[in-house]
Amino acid sequence: QVQLVESGGGLVQAGGSLRLSCVASGIIFRLNTMGWYRQAPGNQRELVALITKEGTTNYADSAKGRFTISRDNVVSTVYLQMTGLKPEDTGVYYCLAQVRNTINIPVGDYWGQGTQVTVSS
């Protein structure tokens, strides 16, 4: 019973920047790890970045040094700041929220509808 809404995607020239946001609502006290995945047509959905409830981060090699994931637990929002964008970053970016039960065991993942990011040459 968690809903995720992404925003911030768009069209940008190579080398530019975008900031994606994902707002969670519902049973937000059960949220643990959140993150961003992306998918290009014909490709599998791939990890971009993850962040735990405590703030520990993990990045795909392609994102290291260019992207920064952060979260604000007060407003239940996760962000992805993207700089130095490349055409290969193009795809639909999806927000992920992992939910745990009352004894801290993962019980499921929730996904947003996605936001399109297009990087032109």
Side-chain angles (χ1 to χ4, degrees):
Q1 296 181 335
V2 175
Q3 297 80 47
L4 304 172
V5 179
E6 303 103 328
S7 62
L11 176 64
V12 66
Q13 195 173 36
S17 301
L18 286 173
R19 182 178 174 87
L20 307 183
S21 299
C22 173
V23 181
S25 62
I27 312 176
I28 56 176
F29 63 88
R30 295 182 181 178
L31 292 175
N32 193 257
T33 296
M34 299 184 70
W36 292 92
Y37 286 68
R38 68 187 179 194
Q39 186 170 20
N43 294 334
Q44 291 185 303
R45 189 173 298 184
E46 64 179 2
L47 170 71
V48 178
L50 296 173
I51 184 167
T52 68
K53 190 174 183 178
E54 296 74 29
T56 301
T57 59
N58 183 43
Y59 295 92
D61 288 341
S62 61
K64 290 179 180 177
R66 300 189 298 125
F67 295 0
T68 301
I69 188 170
S70 60
R71 67 190 292 169
D72 187 338
N73 292 331
V74 176
V75 295
S76 301
T77 302
V78 63
Y79 306 94
L80 185 68
Q81 178 67 50
M82 304 185 291
T83 61
L85 284 164
K86 305 173 182 179
E88 52 262 44
D89 294 319
T90 294
V92 179
Y93 283 67
Y94 296 92
C95 181
L96 165 73
Q98 182 188 80
V99 176
R100 298 190 175 194
N101 63 16
T102 54
I103 56 173
N104 206 36
I105 298 174
V107 295
D109 296 335
Y110 291 83
W111 296 90
Q113 293 297 307
T115 184
Q116 176 71 42
V117 172
T118 302
V119 184
S120 63
S121 300

